[in-house]
Amino acid sequence: MNILSPSILAADFKNLGQQIADVDSAGAQYLHIDVMDGMFVPSISFGMPVIESIRSATDMVFDVHLMIMDPIRYVEEFARIGSDIITFHQEAADDPQAVIDKIHSFGKKAGIAIKPGTPVSVLIPYLDKVEMILVMTVEPGFGGQKLIPETIDKVREVRSMLGDRNLTTDIQVDGGINDANVMTVVGAGANVIVAGSAVFKGDAMGNASKFLKTMGN
Ligand code: DX5
Ligand code: ZN
């Protein structure tokens, strides 16, 4: 079954609790939480107090996407406040394996992310070490961008690299995914689908239900 992970970056923050309840009742399994530090990416989003405060609002899986430099510094804190999956960028870490080990030491799932310009080969040492691989389908930093078509081939390559090793690791895609292109990324091998604008702009519950239906759930 494919997983929908609505990204709250596109939510209406004055009604955040309600927006989360809407996608939860639509059946979205994960909640995608984008943390940006103004260094790894140009923008700054939100951090621990927001995550801590929404943790009690839902049982959805908290899928935390760290777009921050030197992520190992904050793994313990993100684990403590209730993240279930902690995904960091390969490009932002000196020693990705150390970050993975630290995430696992707190009993959390680890994800490793690559930007559109990063070759999939950098993932090879970590393929059997993580629970999820995030192939960014836009440049990280902002919601509402258009999917970069070349990234779909990267999803296909990662799925085949995993298959060669008999691994069924989750592949997440993030950026510019909508109801019209979601089956293309699923066909390429992605099974965890992030969608920000396409879910939260307008009727979040209706949009999430439609996504789940399109994805065959
Ligand atoms: C971008 C973030 C995404 C963003 C996706 O850096 O990682 O999660 O919220 O938003 P959309 O779906 O609008 O492209
Ligand atoms: Zn994200």
Side-chain angles (χ1 to χ4, degrees), residues 7 9 32-36 65 67 134 136 172 174-175 194:
S7 168
L9 191 62
H32 188 79
I33 301 173
D34 287 304
V35 178
M36 303 180 183
H65 177 193
M67 283 163 275
L134 166 52
M136 288 300 301
Q172 181 171 62
D174 181 9
V194 177

Side-chain angles (χ1 to χ4, degrees), residues 2-63:
N2 297 311
I3 291 167
L4 179 63
S5 190
S7 168
I8 59 167
L9 191 62
D12 170 6
F13 285 95
K14 71 180 178 302
N15 292 314
L16 187 54
Q18 186 56 50
Q19 295 256 278
I20 294 169
D22 285 350
V23 293
D24 193 354
S25 56
Q29 305 94 326
Y30 289 5
L31 195 67
H32 188 79
I33 301 173
D34 287 304
V35 178
M36 303 180 183
D37 67 353
M39 295 286 288
F40 181 69
V41 291
S43 194
I44 296 177
S45 56
F46 46 73
M48 290 82 171
V50 171
I51 300 175
E52 204 164 4
S53 140
I54 59 175
R55 184 59 284 189
S56 59
T58 176
D59 291 331
M60 293 169 88
V61 170
F62 273 18
D63 162 31

